[in-house]
Amino acid sequence: MSASVKAAIKQGLFTALALSLVTTFVSPLFAGALTTDVTTAKGNETGSDNILGGTPTRVTWEAVVDEGEQVVGVDVVYPQGSSFSDESSIKVTVLDGTTRMNPENTASLDAATTTAKVNFSEPLQSGLRLRLEMYKVSLPNVDGAVSLNGTYKLADGTVKDLGASPSIEVTYASVAEGISNWLDQQPFVQAWNSVTFLRLFFQPQLIVSSIPTVATGWLISLGLVLVGFPLAIPLGLIAAFMKISKARILHILAAIYTGVVRGTPLFLQIYIAFFGLPLLGININQYVLSILVLAFNSGAYLCEIFRAGIQSIPKGQFEASRSLGMSGTQTMFSVIIPQTVRRVIPTMTSEFILLYKDTSLLAAVGVMELMLYSRSIVSLTGNMTPYIVAACFYLIVTLPLIRVVGNLEKRLALADNGGGAPKKKRKGRRDAFSQMREEISSTTETIEAAEQKVAEVQVETAAAMAGDASVAIDTNAAAARAQERHEATPTDTDERGDAS
Amino acid sequence: MTNGDASMGNTRTIVSLDNIEKSFGDNVVLKDISLKVAKGEVVSIIGSSGGGKSTLLRCATLLETFERGSLAYGDMIVARKEPDGRAVYLGKDILKQARLKFGLVFQNFNLFPHRTVLQNVMDAPIRVQKRDKGEVEKEAHELLSKFGLGGKENMVPCELSGGQQQRVAIARALCMNPEILYFDEPTSALDPELTQDVLKIIRDLAKEHMTMVIVTHEMTFARDVSDRIVFIDKGVIVEEGSPEQVIDNPQHERTRSFLRKIYD
Ligand SMILES: Nc1ncnc2c1ncn2[C@@H]1O[C@H](COP(=O)(O)OP(=O)(O)O)[C@@H](O)[C@H]1O
Ligand SMILES: [Mg+2]
């Protein structure tokens, strides 16, 4: 992958994908002063604002030999932080007006001192223009102007300082870009990339250079769910209380809410919210709206989780509490809810995982989140690697949480079976799914919803791993939800609409 | 709790159930049951499974409502009997006060699993009776150590054996200082070796003249501890009297056949 693409990723994406192809290779300007007093610096080709520091680039340096001077050698010294590699090279051109001369010379790049050395066997006569083109040399990785210095030698043996050259604007290259550039040079990377599959799905340079961008999307997705989910909790609680309340009307309202939300795809809900509200003249910031839609959706699922949780508390708990004289409210808040919380935490965690993955659906309406950030690099590079990076960013959140759910389930099962506090014994490494399945089946008293949810996570994750939504063909409602959500995953065709 | 004054002639009635009738749908579970328990008295209820013993306790402890008859705790009428026999429950306030008169110990303990042993015992006196925390804590510690649970105050129920859990449940009920304690098969969920620990506590309470109604299948225990035995079968009180009368010398064929089954 070329540095130009990297630069494009860095720049283009942050300005909402405005594509500006930066051409570092053919860009630099540059020059220095040479001889006694008259020196000329001339920029090479069209300059660009984006000369990445620490990135191999082409530098051109020119100077004119002054009247009466006879130059036999030039040392052009690069500033501290520059570097030459094995692939760096130098080309010497001497011009008399527009005529190319070919004086005998030795030119070399000294990597240790980052100095370009040129010596001529015949002194250069005054009026000649000396041009040095240095390929694949890296300027210091800084933000700002750098210039070249050095010395030159006259035929009589005197050595003089070159004046400072006109400066080159260098842009700081991030660590990722730096590593990516370094990888570009590595033979093993080139070998790796010679395999089409690996190049298209696991290209090392693209992995590295897309991480910062995808991470930005990851933070946004995480932010959306971290704000949305806590909002869904009170919503779900209120709906759960309405659902178990004896007041018919409250029950019906809650049933409509949960029925409609759970019975329709989140994808559709997102479309209605993002395209419907503006039609009504209601314009909400798209991130705020995202959070509201996620919370509204998740609230319905949490409602069922809480309701099932409350109803899973044995009747004896209500009776014991009532026989001790506690009122209905006291029973609810000091006996039932605390126990419910313990029971629903695993299921809630599963719901959190689902909601986190579902933030990807927001890509369809142009909300810049993990999915869309990675997609934008994909469309820029035509390479699948950023999607693989995105998958990793989903997994670094979901896999640990899936594990947490498993452990919580185990704990709950032990507590329910009266087996005492869980001992710290590990049954060795098993993969998360089989572990969960085992724990679930051993959880005799675990609420039905918990099992459903976990089954759902399994199915969904399995489907995600297989990269095939059709894995989710189980007929139970949970699996159906997983599938429904999968079907709603945006395709690569542009369906972002105008919301952005 | 105050020591009973059985010696003074069992004058005061703690609870009286009159002509109770209770059905679940078409299934009439209690038929014209009347039972009075005097202060300091220990009454054991025996009978085969499904006879309505638990339902009777649940009616007395307001966990179920009955359709006909009346219920009173001392002078406090909880459910009044209309001239046509229908039961009419009084207001919430009365029910709330009535709940403070009794304690109930369940077959499967029903301790609060999310609370420690000490919290299980202390919660209700503090929350419901609004008693001083320090005083309640002192009483709770006393009860627990009396029941051989000293040092287990900060454990959670699932860390205890069944017998220990049931003893905590008894302490929890007693810490409310009830006038009467109901037990619904307190040892049925326990292994035989743990049964005796619990029964011993109930025996001790009987010696202290705690008023108690105990549903049990432990005949030896019932005979030792009870002032009166009530045999219930198919929702009716078939026979009642002293342990000698009912257990050693039953008059009714149904009682005899039940006892025969128990002793076999
Ligand atoms: N909640 C209920 N709903 C319907 N029937 C019940 C309920 N509780 C108890 N019963 C019925 O009432 C009868 C008496 O039960 P119960 O009082 O538990 O008997 P016992 O405690 O003597 O074994 C049984 O036939 C039982 O099926
Ligand atoms: Mg029973």
Side-chain angles (χ1 to χ4, degrees):
Chain A
M1 187 184 66
S2 72
S4 62
V5 172
K6 288 165 205 159
I9 290 167
K10 182 178 180 181
Q11 232 204 2
L13 293 178
F14 287 84
T15 55
L17 309 174
L19 230 178
S20 80
L21 273 168
V22 177
T23 48
T24 318
F25 267 116
V26 282
S27 64
L29 49 95
F30 164 7
L34 177 61
T35 1
T36 30
D37 5 284
V38 182
T39 52
T40 315
K42 190 177 161 203
N44 184 352
E45 317 231 6
T46 5
S48 159
D49 291 341
N50 274 281
I51 299 161
L52 289 176
T55 308
T57 188
R58 172 173 150 185
V59 175
T60 306
W61 179 97
E62 290 188 19
V64 174
V65 181
D66 268 5
E67 199 70 39
E69 300 274 17
Q70 290 197 318
V71 176
V72 290
V74 178
D75 283 4
V76 176
V77 181
Y78 278 69
Q80 184 129 42
S82 304
S83 62
F84 299 159
S85 71
D86 292 346
E87 296 191 9
S88 304
S89 60
I90 182 167
K91 182 182 164 205
V92 180
T93 310
V94 177
L95 296 167
D96 184 4
T98 53
T99 318
R100 238 171 235 274
M101 318 274 287
N102 279 314
E104 203 176 306
N105 68 74
T106 55
S108 65
L109 291 171
D110 178 22
T113 56
T114 56
T115 303
K117 297 177 192 288
V118 187
N119 289 300
F120 298 96
S121 33
E122 290 292 315
L124 296 185
Q125 299 304 317
S126 58
L128 293 180
R129 175 173 297 277
L130 170 61
R131 175 186 294 163
L132 303 181
E133 288 165 293
M134 288 149 287
Y135 298 90
K136 297 209 174 181
V137 293
S138 302
L139 292 167
N141 192 14
V142 293
D143 249 333
V146 298
S147 53
L148 310 184
N149 298 297
T151 54
Y152 62 96
K153 204 164 154 195
L154 298 178
D156 59 12
T158 48
V159 174
K160 291 187 174 177
D161 271 349
L162 287 164
S165 70
S167 61
I168 305 172
E169 279 302 319
V170 175
T171 307
Y172 176 75
S174 68
V175 175
E177 285 162 329
I179 298 173
S180 180
N181 292 331
W182 178 81
L183 285 171
D184 256 345
Q185 318 293 317
Q186 304 309 307
F188 74 89
V189 173
Q190 287 153 7
W192 173 280
N193 286 340
S194 65
V195 180
T196 309
F197 171 72
L198 295 177
R199 186 179 67 248
L200 288 179
F201 288 85
F202 299 94
Q203 190 180 116
Q205 303 99 299
L206 200 43
I207 289 176
V208 172
S209 64
S210 64
I211 280 176
T213 305
V214 178
T216 309
W218 175 67
L219 286 177
I220 291 172
S221 285
L222 205 56
L224 290 176
V225 73
L226 283 178
V227 178
F229 193 72
L231 288 176
I233 293 174
L235 191 64
L237 259 185
I238 291 168
F241 280 124
M242 285 167 68
K243 210 151 194 193
I244 55 178
S245 109
K246 286 178 195 118
R248 195 97 198 103
I249 179 73
L250 294 181
H251 174 86
I252 290 172
L253 284 175
I256 291 174
Y257 166 54
T258 56
V260 169
V261 171
R262 283 155 33 105
T264 56
L266 173 57
F267 196 56
L268 180 70
Q269 293 161 19
I270 289 172
Y271 262 49
I272 291 176
F274 276 77
F275 299 126
L277 292 181
L279 284 183
L280 294 174
I282 303 168
N283 288 300
I284 306 174
N285 171 291
Q286 62 168 350
Y287 290 109
V288 175
L289 188 55
S290 302
I291 286 166
L292 293 180
V293 175
L294 291 177
F296 185 76
N297 178 269
S298 199
Y301 289 94
L302 288 179
C303 165
E304 289 305 309
I305 292 170
F306 294 149
R307 184 195 53 72
I310 290 171
Q311 290 177 348
S312 76
I313 305 297
K315 226 173 106 215
Q317 291 292 311
F318 289 89
E319 295 182 346
S321 174
R322 297 298 275 162
S323 79
L324 286 167
M326 292 198 201
S327 67
T329 322
Q330 280 173 326
T331 302
M332 219 8 124
F333 284 95
S334 71
V335 178
I336 306 306
I337 294 199
Q339 293 186 58
T340 305
V341 168
R342 278 181 358 145
R343 276 168 187 254
V344 300
I345 279 180
T347 338
M348 277 176 71
T349 312
S350 299
E351 172 59 26
F352 180 89
I353 294 170
L354 287 178
L355 194 65
Y356 170 60
K357 288 188 294 176
D358 282 350
T359 56
S360 59
L361 298 179
L362 292 162
V365 289
V367 175
M368 288 300 290
E369 43 60 75
L370 179 41
M371 185 64 209
L372 200 47
Y373 268 100
S374 50
R375 197 172 91 184
S376 50
I377 313 177
V378 169
S379 50
L380 210 65
T381 58
N383 189 297
M384 286 291 116
T385 308
Y387 281 156
I388 303 297
V389 173
C392 294
F393 272 99
Y394 281 111
L395 290 171
I396 56 171
V397 173
T398 54
L399 285 184
L401 283 179
I402 288 172
R403 204 180 165 80
V404 165
V405 171
N407 289 337
L408 288 173
E409 292 284 355
K410 196 190 301 177
R411 221 173 248 267
L412 193 62
L414 278 168
D416 277 354
N417 297 338
K423 305 285 182 298
K424 273 190 184 164
K425 62 167 184 244
R426 295 176 78 97
K427 291 182 191 166
R429 288 205 167 276
R430 286 172 298 160
D431 79 289
F433 307 123
S434 67
Q435 186 184 345
M436 281 171 70
R437 211 171 293 128
E438 244 180 72
E439 277 155 12
I440 291 305
S441 56
S442 72
T443 307
T444 49
E445 288 246 341
T446 310
I447 39 178
E448 195 190 297
E451 292 186 348
Q452 263 190 20
K453 281 295 179 176
V454 178
E456 206 171 321
V457 172
Q458 287 173 9
V459 171
E460 268 204 289
T461 318
M465 293 203 144
D468 182 1
S470 66
V471 171
I473 44 167
D474 213 40
T475 46
N476 72 45
R481 182 191 181 205
Q483 190 178 20
E484 154 216 312
R485 289 186 167 201
H486 267 278
E487 280 163 358
T489 306
T491 57
D492 235 33
T493 56
D494 194 20
E495 46 201 357
R496 264 181 297 135
D498 307 316
S500 58
Chain B
M1 82 230 61
T2 52
N3 275 352
D5 48 1
S7 55
M8 285 166 68
N10 291 349
T11 44
R12 213 182 122 207
T13 302
I14 298 290
V15 64
S16 63
L17 292 135
D18 285 300
N19 312 111
I20 302 293
E21 193 175 307
K22 162 78 184 166
S23 37
F24 290 107
D26 292 338
N27 181 14
V28 185
V29 176
L30 299 177
K31 295 163 195 152
D32 196 27
I33 296 239
S34 296
L35 181 71
K36 275 188 174 45
V37 181
K39 189 170 174 62
E41 206 181 5
V42 177
V43 177
S44 288
I45 299 176
I46 61 172
S48 41
S49 176
K53 307 179 297 295
S54 295
T55 306
L56 180 60
L57 287 200
R58 292 167 61 80
C59 285
T61 54
L62 308 174
L63 293 175
E64 298 283 1
T65 55
F66 46 86
E67 294 89 47
R68 299 171 71 80
S70 69
L71 168 64
Y73 277 93
D75 300 335
M76 185 194 292
I77 295 171
V78 179
R80 150 168 67 82
K81 183 166 61 179
E82 292 288 280
D84 63 0
R86 263 188 321 117
V88 175
Y89 279 85
L90 277 83
K92 270 192 172 170
D93 288 351
I94 299 281
L95 299 191
K96 202 173 163 189
Q97 284 177 46
R99 284 198 171 93
L100 299 178
K101 302 258 181 190
F102 58 79
L104 175 57
V105 176
F106 300 84
Q107 181 175 336
N108 41 12
F109 334 132
N110 289 339
L111 291 178
F112 303 132
H114 61 300
R115 308 290 280 163
T116 64
V117 165
L118 192 62
Q119 287 166 336
N120 262 280
V121 177
M122 288 172 56
D123 276 357
I126 293 170
R127 275 175 218 258
V128 179
Q129 295 178 321
K130 311 275 183 240
R131 281 163 59 191
D132 174 66
K133 188 163 182 272
E135 178 204 323
V136 173
E137 188 163 351
K138 188 161 160 282
E139 189 177 339
H141 276 293
E142 278 168 15
L143 277 168
L144 289 171
S145 56
K146 179 174 152 190
F147 290 172
L149 295 163
K152 307 235 183 292
E153 285 87 350
N154 293 317
M155 291 189 172
V156 285
C158 69
E159 294 175 294
L160 303 180
S161 73
Q164 289 168 332
Q165 290 192 47
Q166 191 61 299
R167 282 181 274 158
V168 174
I170 297 171
R172 177 173 74 174
L174 278 176
C175 203
M176 295 288 285
N177 296 320
E179 291 182 7
I180 181 171
L181 209 46
Y182 295 101
F183 294 84
D184 190 356
E185 303 195 27
T187 60
S188 294
L190 300 178
D191 295 339
E193 67 267 28
L194 300 175
T195 301
Q196 294 312 318
D197 295 345
V198 172
L199 293 185
K200 178 172 181 305
I201 281 172
I202 302 175
R203 280 178 216 267
D204 290 347
L205 290 174
K207 279 187 205 127
E208 294 167 19
H209 304 290
M210 179 74 207
T211 312
M212 293 185 285
V213 175
I214 308 161
V215 173
T216 184
H217 293 297
E218 301 283 338
M219 287 306 145
T220 319
F221 162 76
R223 187 204 272 120
D224 292 352
V225 84
S226 311
D227 298 308
R228 189 151 47 108
I229 304 274
V230 176
F231 172 63
I232 292 184
D233 193 37
K234 300 202 173 77
V236 295
I237 296 181
V238 176
E239 192 164 352
E240 80 176 286
S242 67
E244 295 75 25
Q245 286 172 329
V246 178
I247 295 180
D248 301 335
N249 204 0
Q251 299 301 302
H252 289 258
E253 178 48 37
R254 273 150 84 180
T255 321
R256 283 193 213 116
S257 80
F258 167 73
L259 289 170
R260 233 178 285 127
K261 260 187 275 164
I262 285 272
Y263 284 118
D264 278 353

